[in-house]
Amino acid sequence: MPHPSEAALIAFADDELDARARGEVAAHMDGCGLCRHALRDLREAMGALAVETALVDTCEPASWRQGPAALPRTASRSLSLVGATASRPAVVRARPVTAMRWAAAISLLVGGGAAAMTAPRWTRLLRGDVAAPAVAATAMPASTSDAALRLSASAAVSVLPIDGVATVSLLSGAVERDARVIVHVSDRRDVQVTVTTPTSADRVPRFLTGDGRLEVQLAGTGSVVEVDFPSSLREARVTHDGRSVVTVRGSAISPIDAATTGVALAPRP
Amino acid sequence: MGSHPAWEAIYAEHRLALLRYVHRLTRDVHLAEDVVQDAFLRLWRESHPVDNPRSWLFRVCTNLVRDQSRRTAIRERHAAQPDEAQAESPDEEFERAESVRTVRLALDRLIPRDREALLLRESGFRYAEIAEVIDVRVEIVPTLIARALKRFHKAYLEETSDATS
């Protein structure tokens, strides 16, 4: 396949290609450093733009959020995406329900180490409460409804509903090649974004955020991404490396595209 | 449209997203409020059924902003200011203001359609909706966005270089 156009690359990044075209671009990218570099450049631009819009949003009047579209400040849904190395079998963090904010929180924890601000300056500009960097292999609360969605030999997604708060965790061992997680939400109203970057990462995690979409490129190993959504959120969707893996609609969380991605429900190990 | 039973729901659902979109385009809180209110009034008065109120409203807001010939002056006058509720050290505040300024200058170097496409994309719009809002064929949206991103990135790097030289 010839090099994809930049338009095709951006459509690939935005999950706007049909399955066949996506497969072709993905196959090409696997063996083409030039195109991977081009895509990285585009994502870098996206990152700068995303920060700009997020910063502009901090200047908006509080009254905008207190209008008729205000959301309840009670229960929330939580969605966690965790990247782990093969030597780290299960990196899962439990968040107390009472500590959940209705706004979103994202943290990137690489190697389980302490977080520090070593990112490009735009990643330092989104501020907020940082989720506690607790990483423990056995932290997942026991639940008979636990289920894991096995993506591949090195990646899995788990779904864990707890007292009306749903936690979704993605366990991935393929983070060295810019594993890419995108969370699509129906509405980003009042969703706050927090990113913590690790000191030990060779490469800096990147993220994009904007109304309706949040993208995280996991860099290094053991990356953790965490997002809380307001309970009134109507819909969310998660893709990993271009594959849709989970949808959240109301209180229902389910895997999607099982037929094409090979994602299947499996008992949690 | 005015008698549509879903009117309040449409207003509640899209008001904040529209305010943010126009605010991002103009950096002007008051203009954003005026434009969004105008758009809802036009929707209220619309005599023909509106199949997709979100796209309709964003398109109207986009056109209203385009009509603001004084937008550039407004943007310069209303550069983004830090949130007063968030205490910052002087260094943090300076860095943040500089970053906002740098990216804003880069964004301002785009033509309006490119800027609108990028900000709509940032607002979570899929390509089909972006095409509908800015009135282009959906096939060209990825080309438009890729080109806009490249231009933005180039301008951003140049602005960053200027700021540090």
Side-chain angles (χ1 to χ4, degrees):
Chain A
M1 177 189 179
H3 294 299
S5 65
E6 287 184 323
L9 289 178
I10 200 70
F12 175 81
D14 284 343
D15 197 18
E16 289 271 2
L17 294 177
D18 60 36
R20 185 184 60 81
R22 164 162 289 282
E24 290 175 355
V25 172
H28 177 89
M29 298 278 287
D30 280 343
C32 181
L34 280 176
C35 287
R36 288 198 300 273
H37 183 77
L39 186 57
R40 275 198 296 272
D41 283 349
L42 288 171
R43 283 174 171 164
E44 190 173 333
M46 293 178 198
L49 180 62
V51 167
E52 197 273 348
T53 56
L55 285 169
V56 171
D57 290 351
T58 66
C59 306
E60 70 189 23
S63 60
W64 285 6
R65 295 187 296 277
Q66 296 164 353
L71 298 172
R73 294 179 177 274
T74 54
S76 67
R77 284 198 297 267
S78 170
L79 182 143
S80 316
L81 309 172
V82 183
T85 62
S87 60
R88 189 186 300 276
V91 181
V92 180
R93 149 231 356 53
R95 287 171 59 94
V97 173
T98 53
M100 289 183 178
R101 292 155 296 153
W102 76 307
I106 303 164
S107 66
L108 303 181
L109 311 177
V110 176
M117 298 304 185
T118 58
R121 65 177 177 169
W122 57 75
T123 64
R124 279 182 279 162
L125 300 175
L126 296 181
R127 297 173 303 142
D129 298 334
V130 178
V135 179
T138 58
M140 179 70 84
S143 169
T144 55
S145 57
D146 283 5
L149 308 177
R150 196 160 297 285
L151 291 171
S152 69
S154 61
V157 171
S158 67
V159 179
L160 178 65
I162 308 171
D163 296 334
V165 179
T167 298
V168 179
S169 299
L170 170 66
L171 312 179
S172 170
V175 295
E176 288 81 4
R177 59 175 186 85
D178 284 353
R180 182 163 170 266
V181 174
I182 301 179
V183 180
H184 301 266
V185 298
S186 59
D187 194 330
R188 201 181 67 92
R189 286 177 299 188
D190 293 291
V191 171
Q192 301 294 321
V193 176
T194 301
V195 173
T196 304
T197 57
T199 53
S200 56
D202 295 328
R203 292 144 60 203
V204 177
R206 299 177 185 172
F207 65 92
L208 300 172
T209 182
D211 278 356
R213 178 169 53 198
L214 180 151
E215 173 178 334
V216 180
Q217 281 182 265
L218 302 179
T221 57
S223 300
V224 175
V225 181
E226 186 173 281
V227 184
D228 288 356
F229 294 120
S231 61
S232 54
L233 196 68
R234 290 171 300 135
E235 183 176 352
R237 180 162 60 92
V238 179
T239 66
H240 173 247
D241 269 3
R243 292 177 173 179
S244 296
V245 290
V246 172
T247 58
V248 180
R249 285 194 177 88
S251 59
I253 299 180
S254 57
I256 58 175
D257 283 0
T260 57
T261 64
V263 175
L265 275 170
R268 184 170 184 78
Chain B
M1 191 69 201
S3 60
H4 197 290
W7 166 254
E8 289 185 7
I10 290 170
Y11 182 71
E13 183 172 3
H14 302 300
R15 170 184 159 275
L16 182 55
L18 286 161
L19 285 168
R20 283 184 169 157
Y21 170 64
V22 178
H23 185 219
R24 290 167 175 181
L25 274 176
T26 64
R27 311 304 199 302
D28 188 313
V29 167
H30 301 298
L31 179 61
E33 291 172 343
D34 289 346
V35 165
V36 170
Q37 180 170 326
D38 193 352
F40 275 113
L41 281 174
R42 290 175 188 227
L43 181 64
W44 177 259
R45 293 168 181 156
E46 178 63 42
S47 56
H48 301 291
V50 175
D51 292 333
N52 186 340
R54 184 167 97 131
S55 294
W56 193 97
L57 286 162
F58 273 83
R59 185 167 65 247
V60 168
C61 285
T62 299
N63 290 334
L64 288 171
V65 170
R66 284 178 183 174
D67 291 341
Q68 295 288 329
S69 59
R70 59 195 174 94
R71 181 175 59 196
T72 300
I74 290 168
R75 293 167 70 112
E76 290 172 356
R77 199 167 64 240
H78 296 274
Q81 298 296 319
D83 187 347
E84 293 178 359
Q86 296 176 319
E88 292 182 309
S89 72
D91 285 348
E92 287 175 332
E93 186 173 351
F94 176 78
E95 182 179 23
R96 177 166 135 130
E98 277 299 297
S99 297
V100 171
R101 178 178 169 277
T102 300
V103 183
R104 177 167 54 85
L105 288 173
L107 202 56
D108 285 348
R109 286 165 61 173
L110 302 180
I111 61 173
R113 191 176 67 170
D114 286 0
R115 186 163 51 238
E116 291 155 7
L118 289 183
L119 292 177
L120 286 166
R121 179 186 169 279
E122 277 299 305
S123 297
F125 277 65
R126 306 295 289 179
Y127 289 180
E129 273 190 302
I130 293 174
E132 191 175 346
V133 171
I134 63 176
D135 197 24
V136 298
R137 287 184 297 112
V138 67
E139 292 82 7
I140 75 163
V141 170
T143 302
L144 195 152
I145 289 177
R147 183 188 65 192
L149 269 175
K150 275 192 71 176
R151 289 177 175 172
F152 169 77
H153 194 215
K154 181 173 182 289
Y156 176 80
L157 293 177
E158 289 172 358
E159 294 292 346
T160 303
S161 175
D162 289 346
T164 55
S165 61

